[in-house]
C-alpha cells in the first residue's frame, strides 16, 4: 500500500513480526529500537526481502525528546506516519514489595509515557497534513489477569487502554483511528523471562484454553487488520489475542 509505518520496539518479538507483516504490503517500515542496532538492521533486511522498504531509528521510548526527534526525522524523510504501532515495552518481573522507584519509572516511561508522546507526535503531523491514519497500541491481558510479578507493569497496560479510548474520541474527527491489542502468552523474550520466573512453558500452555502459547505473527495479523481499511469503522476497540486465557478459570 506504500504507507509509512512506525513500529516502536521492532528489533525483535511482536514488533519484528508486525514490521514483517506490513512489509508484505510494500510499506515503508520504520524499525525503532534502543541500543539493538544489529537486530534492527536484520529486521530491515527481512522487510526488504518481503517487498517493503525500511529504515532503522535508535530512540529510547522512555525519553520524550528522543521520541519527538524520531517522529520528526521520519516525517522529514518520508512524510507523515500513516500507521503507528506503539509496541515498545518492558516487563521486569519484580514482586510488588520490592518494586523501586527506578523500576516503576522505567516501566511507566517505556510502556506508557513513550506511547503517549509517540501518539502525540504522529497525530500532530497527520492533522497538520490533513491525512487520516491509524494507531494501534500493544497492551496486554495483564490488564485483566495481572501476574504476581506484574504490579508495576499491569497499570501501564491499563493506562494504554485508557489512552486508546481517549484518543479514539479526540482523533476521530481527524480520521485517525486508535485501537488496542491485548496479547496473552506469546513466545518472545518477555514471555521467556516470565517462564523462568514461574511456571515451565508446557504447564503455562496448559492454562490456555487453546492449549498452546501464541506466536508473534498471530498478534501481528490482528495489528495489521486494525490498521487496515477492513477496520474502517473500528476505533476505541480492544482485541484479546490470548487463546481465551483471560476468560479461563485460573
Ligand atoms: P520483546 O522483549 O521481545 O520486545 C520488546 C521490544 O521493545 C524490543 O524490540 C525492544 O528493543 C523494545 N524496547 C525495550 N525497551 C525499549 C526502549 N526503552 N525504547 C525503545 N524500544 C525498547 O517482547 P515482546 O513480547 O515482543 O513485547 C512487545 C510488546 O508486547 C510489549 O509492549 C509487551 O508488553 C507486549 N506484550 C507481550 C506479551 C508476551 O507474552 N510476549 C504479552 C502481552 C503484551
Amino acid at each position: 500500500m506504500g504507507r509509512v509505518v512506525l513500529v516502536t520496539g521492532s528489533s525483535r518479538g511482536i514488533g519484528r513480526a508486525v514490521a514483517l507483516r506490513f512489509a508484505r504490503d510494500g510499506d515503508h517500515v520504520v524499525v525503532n529500537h534502543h541500543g539493538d542496532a544489529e537486530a534492527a538492521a536484520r529486521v530491515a533486511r527481512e522487510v526488504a526481502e518481503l517487498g517493503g522498504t525500511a529504515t532503522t531509528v535508535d530512540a529510547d521510548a522512555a525519553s520524550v525528546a528522543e521520541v519527538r526527534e524520531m517522529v520528526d526525522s521520519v516525517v522529514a524523510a518520508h512524510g507523515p506516519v500513516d500507521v503507528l504501532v506503539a509496541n515498545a515495552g518492558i516487563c521486569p518481573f519484580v514482586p510488588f514489595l520490592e518494586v523501586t522507584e527506578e523500576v516503576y519509572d522505567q516501566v511507566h516511561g517505556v510502556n506508557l509515557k513513550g506511547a503517549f508522546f509517540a501518539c502525540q507526535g504522529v497525530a500532530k503531523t497527520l492533522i497538520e497534513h490533513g491525512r487520516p491514519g491509524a494507531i494501534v497500541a500493544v497492551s496486554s491481558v495483564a490488564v485483566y489477569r495481572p501476574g504476581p510479578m506484574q504490579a508495576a507493569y499491569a497499570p501501564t497496560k491499563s493506562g494504554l487502554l485508557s489512552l486508546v479510548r481517549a484518543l479514539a474520541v479526540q482523533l476521530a474527527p481527524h480520521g485517525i483511528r486508535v485501537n488496542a491489542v491485548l496479547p496473552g502468552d506469546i513466545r518472545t523474550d518477555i514471555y521467556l523471562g516470565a517462564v523462568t520466573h514461574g511456571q515451565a512453558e508446557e504447564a503455562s500452555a496448559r492454562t490456555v484454553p487453546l492449549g498452546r502459547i501464541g506466536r508473534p505473527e498471530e498478534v501481528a495479523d490482528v495489528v495489521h487488520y486494525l490498521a487496515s481499511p477492513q477496520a474502517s469503522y473500528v476505533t476505541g476497540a480492544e482485541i484479546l489475542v490470548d487463546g481465551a486465557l483471560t476468560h479461563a478459570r485460573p
Side-chain angles (χ1 to χ4, degrees), residues 9-15 32-34 36 59-62 87-90 106 110 138-141 153 157 183-186 188-191:
S10 47
S11 54
R12 59 174 193 260
I14 292 170
N32 160 243
H33 66 97
H34 183 47
D36 207 5
D60 180 359
N87 165 78
I90 55 171
Q106 184 64 12
V110 176
V138 180
S139 175
S140 168
V141 297
Y153 173 82
K157 295 301 182 177
D185 290 342
I186 309 297
T188 66
D189 286 358
I190 280 185
Y191 172 76

Side-chain angles (χ1 to χ4, degrees), residues 6-248:
L6 168 58
V7 188
T8 66
S10 47
S11 54
R12 59 174 193 260
I14 292 170
R16 168 181 168 272
V18 169
L20 301 187
R21 180 64 192 83
F22 283 95
R24 283 161 47 194
D25 289 342
D27 289 335
H28 182 80
V29 185
V30 181
V31 180
N32 160 243
H33 66 97
H34 183 47
D36 207 5
E38 240 175 70
R42 261 198 311 276
V43 175
R45 281 196 297 275
E46 291 176 293
V47 166
E49 281 160 18
L50 289 167
T53 53
T55 42
T56 64
V57 183
D58 187 339
D60 180 359
S63 158
V64 177
E66 290 188 30
V67 168
R68 284 193 173 136
E69 206 180 305
M70 168 172 69
V71 173
D72 289 349
S73 70
V74 172
V75 174
H78 306 285
V81 173
D82 301 296
V83 177
L84 166 68
V85 182
N87 165 78
I90 55 171
C91 182
F93 292 97
V94 182
F96 171 56
L97 296 181
E98 291 168 29
V99 173
T100 59
E101 184 178 3
E102 194 186 359
V103 167
Y104 182 95
D105 285 346
Q106 184 64 12
V107 180
H108 281 252
V110 176
N111 296 9
L112 189 52
K113 188 169 79 172
F116 182 100
F117 285 99
C119 289
Q120 189 189 63
V122 165
K124 224 182 236 174
T125 52
L126 283 171
I127 292 167
E128 275 164 18
H129 287 78
R131 292 253 294 252
I135 295 173
V136 182
V138 180
S139 175
S140 168
V141 297
V143 167
Y144 300 114
R145 286 186 59 158
M149 309 270 214
Q150 292 184 314
Y153 173 82
T156 67
K157 295 301 182 177
S158 302
L160 270 183
L161 274 192
S162 190
L163 179 65
V164 159
R165 292 170 191 153
L167 298 190
V169 174
Q170 289 181 42
L171 299 177
H174 302 286
I176 302 170
R177 296 181 301 99
V178 189
N179 292 291
V181 291
L182 287 71
D185 290 342
I186 309 297
R187 200 167 207 293
T188 66
D189 286 358
I190 280 185
Y191 172 76
L192 296 173
V195 290
T196 58
H197 282 85
Q199 302 158 294
E201 190 171 328
E202 296 129 56
S204 97
R206 278 199 295 275
T207 66
V208 181
L210 277 186
R212 63 175 177 84
I213 62 169
R215 289 179 281 109
E217 293 75 18
E218 293 176 303
V219 180
D221 280 336
V222 180
V223 170
H224 180 264
Y225 158 72
L226 286 170
S228 75
Q230 282 70 41
S232 53
Y233 201 57
V234 182
T235 191
E238 58 184 84
I239 300 186
L240 293 165
V241 190
D242 72 342
L245 176 64
T246 301
H247 304 303

